[in-house]
Amino acid sequence: KEINLRQIVSSVVDLEGAAALDRGLELINECGDSVPLAVIGDDFRVQRVLINLISNAIKFTEKGHVKITTTASEAQNKNHAKKNILVTFKIEDTGIGIPADKFDLIFENFVKLDPSNRRGFYRGSGLGLCMVQQFVQELGGEIDLKSEIGKGTTFSCSLPFKIPLIK
């Protein structure tokens, strides 16, 4: 199905904007010129991935910002009828960070990390990142994370899409 990635990202930013504002955070949306207006993909899964990553970033950030940067590059041409493109969504926060030895754990069902900084109460079932990883895999993409305790976390999610022949 043909979808508009720019519109999906903007709608998620609008949806999560109130939560960021409530926490006194700046929610920044940067979309590169390389991101096409129309791609063929699964809007539901893309939206759910972005909602989970951005809401988690907001939840675990007490001050500073949460930023989503969307970029695109040509992927290997696997299908001669349609051009493939790789879109990367980078969600960066200035939050509490994740210990390196817990990176693999956070993608498991029902796992919630107990932050050493217990000033905040963090709600959730522990299913969000497991679902994110599953959706990313189903879409043929990859997810990566970088984090430093006390400085923040960056999730990079790269998803392949096809460009429609005629717009």
Side-chain angles (χ1 to χ4, degrees):
K1 149 176 165 176
E2 195 168 297
I3 62 174
N4 183 327
L5 291 175
R6 292 170 182 263
Q7 189 174 43
I8 290 171
V9 173
S10 288
S11 70
V12 171
V13 168
D14 289 347
L15 180 72
E16 296 296 332
L21 193 60
D22 285 349
R23 293 186 60 90
L25 303 173
E26 184 177 9
L27 182 53
I28 304 163
N29 178 8
E30 289 184 1
C31 188
D33 293 337
S34 60
V35 178
L37 288 177
V39 296
I40 296 172
D42 183 335
D43 58 339
F44 174 80
R45 283 183 173 82
V46 172
Q47 186 177 44
R48 294 310 310 167
V49 165
L50 296 177
I51 287 171
N52 272 281
L53 292 176
I54 292 172
S55 66
N56 274 355
I58 292 168
K59 186 188 313 184
F60 294 104
T61 302
E62 292 186 6
K63 61 182 180 192
H65 70 269
V66 172
K67 178 178 174 182
I68 178 167
T69 306
T70 309
T71 57
S73 59
E74 277 192 40
Q76 274 189 322
N77 216 356
K78 296 177 185 166
N79 179 346
H80 297 293
K82 295 178 182 167
K83 183 175 165 189
N84 294 300
I85 193 159
L86 189 66
V87 177
T88 301
F89 304 95
K90 189 164 108 178
I91 294 86
E92 165 195 339
D93 68 54
T94 54
I96 62 174
I98 302 168
D101 63 338
K102 305 291 187 210
F103 283 12
D104 290 335
L105 274 180
I106 65 166
F107 290 107
E108 292 181 12
N109 268 332
F110 305 112
V111 169
K112 289 171 52 178
L113 295 184
D114 181 25
S116 57
N117 174 354
R118 298 182 63 77
R119 283 181 271 158
F121 174 72
Y122 304 108
R123 292 186 164 157
S125 63
L127 290 171
L129 288 176
C130 179
M131 183 201 68
V132 164
Q133 185 178 47
Q134 180 181 339
F135 280 177
V136 168
Q137 289 171 348
E138 288 172 0
L139 293 168
E142 296 179 359
I143 188 161
D144 185 40
L145 109 100
K146 292 182 177 140
S147 189
E148 192 173 337
I149 297 297
K151 296 200 175 180
T153 301
T154 300
F155 281 91
S156 293
C157 176
S158 296
L159 300 173
F161 294 94
K162 294 190 184 308
I163 303 291
L165 280 177
I166 301 172
K167 178 67 188 136

